[in-house]
């Protein structure tokens, strides 16, 4: 594996290998004083982010430093991009500075695949447009495997703006490859148009979807969708598709809940559901656990692509 631009067509064995490696890294991470072999010593990783990010950017930086690598932080707003420099020229110039790998986040779908054709360095997709976000899906899968013991046979419902979600797309590919069943639940305007090709089950009724599922991945609702003709209003979306205690109590369903963040509280998910890590209640939030797992998973990805390439 030289690049990780998505999980589409990535074999189950490679996904399992990354998750197994991440499990070893996590055991050390949670000791409070982790000590790792500097497998990336003298490596330089460019974090090239054309969009804002907190969890993904910082977890890649922490992961790289745990493995002994140096990081270069690129921000489009303070770079030559503001003077009209193209993505291709930006990457070529960074490569000429002897950067060893690129972690790219970009608003355009396909940007990560594009730069694999112009650089000899490793490329990791940290989210491109509405295409894929593979490391987010891997950390979601890691979280589910750690909790349930296996992914095979799990029924996972993905709730929210699936049509525009790179997180949903990578999770669909990864979860199905690992043997899970995947359902999608949202208003029809936000569902993909090719469910048969994707191999998923569609729901427009949230109660029915939750009743079917073992666990839920709640997506961040992109608030501009309410004014873009996809939704009548945020209030109506919250009533029909917001995950709340009232809804879970009504159908008497215990549910493990994941969310990639950031959260729109009281829109796609209630405060209680987002924050509950202990009973009583019908849900358990894995949101902060996902953040911890993200560091371990990204360590595994960097180690596999750069140290072992």
């Amino acid at each position: 594996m030289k690049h990780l631009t998505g999980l589409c067509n990535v074999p189950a064995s490679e996904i399992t290998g990354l998750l197994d490696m991440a499990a070893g890294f996590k055991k050390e991470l949670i000791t409070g004083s982790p000590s790792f072999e500097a497998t990336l010593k003298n490596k330089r990783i460019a974090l090239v982010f054309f969009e804002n990010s907190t969890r993904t950017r910082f977890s890649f930086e922490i992961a790289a430093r745990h493995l002994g690598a140096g990081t270069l932080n690129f921000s489009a707003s303070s770079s030559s991009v503001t003077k009209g420099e193209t993505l291709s020229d930006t990457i070529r110039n960074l490569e000429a500075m002897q950067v060893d790998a690129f972690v790219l986040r970009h608003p355009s779908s396909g940007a990560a695949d594009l730069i694999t054709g112009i650089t000899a360095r490793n490329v990791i997709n940290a989210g491109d447009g509405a295409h894929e976000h593979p490391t987010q899906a891997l950390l979601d899968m890691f979280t589910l495997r750690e909790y349930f013991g296996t992914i095979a046979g799990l029924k996972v419902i993905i709730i929210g703006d699936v049509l525009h979600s790179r997180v949903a797309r990578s999770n669909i590919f990864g979860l199905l490859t690992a043997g899970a069943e995947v359902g999608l639940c949202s208003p029809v305007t936000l569902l993909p148009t090719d469910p048969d090709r994707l191999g998923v089950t569609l729901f427009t009724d949230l109660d029915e979807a939750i009743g079917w599922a073992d666990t839920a991945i709640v997506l961040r609702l992109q608030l501009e969708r309410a004014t873009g003709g996809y939704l009548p209003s945020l209030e109506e979306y919250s009533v029909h598709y917001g995950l709340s205690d009232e809804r879970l109590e009504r159908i008497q369903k215990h549910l493990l809940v994941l969310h990639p963040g950031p959260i729109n509280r009281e829109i796609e998910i209630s405060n209680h559901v987002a924050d509950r890590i202990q009973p009583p209640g019908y849900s358990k939030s894995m949101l902060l656990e996902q953040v911890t797992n993200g560091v371990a998973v990204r360590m595994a990805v960097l180690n596999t692509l750069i140290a072992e390439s």
Side-chain angles (χ1 to χ4, degrees), residues 19-194:
L19 299 184
D20 288 345
M21 185 181 293
F25 285 136
K26 184 177 179 181
K27 286 180 182 178
E28 185 66 25
L29 275 173
I30 61 177
T31 62
S33 55
S35 177
F36 299 103
E37 182 183 354
T39 57
L40 301 186
K41 185 179 180 181
N42 299 323
K43 299 289 186 179
R44 290 171 293 275
I45 300 171
L47 307 179
V48 186
F49 278 60
F50 286 80
E51 293 180 326
N52 293 332
S53 170
T54 301
R55 282 155 294 275
T56 302
R57 184 173 194 151
F58 283 132
S59 64
F60 265 115
E61 185 163 4
I62 292 168
R65 292 186 179 186
H66 276 316
L67 296 173
T71 57
L72 292 81
N73 279 287
F74 171 95
S75 174
S77 62
S78 60
S79 74
S80 294
V81 170
T82 61
K83 302 177 183 178
E85 184 172 83
T86 66
L87 172 62
S88 297
D89 283 340
T90 297
I91 295 301
R92 289 190 179 103
N93 277 280
L94 290 170
E95 183 175 18
M97 297 176 195
Q98 305 307 310
V99 165
D100 297 290
F102 296 99
V103 176
L104 177 74
R105 169 164 288 190
H106 200 278
S108 298
S109 299
D113 283 312
L114 170 70
I115 70 170
T116 63
I118 62 173
T119 180
R121 310 307 191 205
N122 305 98
V123 177
I124 299 167
N125 182 6
D128 62 332
H131 177 222
E132 283 214 48
H133 192 351
T135 59
Q136 177 66 48
L138 286 170
L139 75 87
D140 292 342
M141 294 170 67
F142 181 87
T143 303
L144 293 175
R145 192 180 78 160
E146 190 174 52
Y147 185 85
F148 289 103
T150 183
I151 295 172
L154 277 181
K155 292 182 176 180
V156 183
I157 190 70
I158 302 175
I159 304 167
D161 184 0
V162 180
L163 182 63
H164 302 97
S165 175
R166 55 198 177 202
V167 172
R169 193 159 283 105
S170 287
N171 264 302
I172 290 168
F173 295 142
L175 288 166
L176 290 176
T177 298
E181 295 182 57
V182 178
L184 311 176
C185 182
S186 78
V188 292
T189 53
L190 296 177
L191 284 172
T193 57
D194 54 351

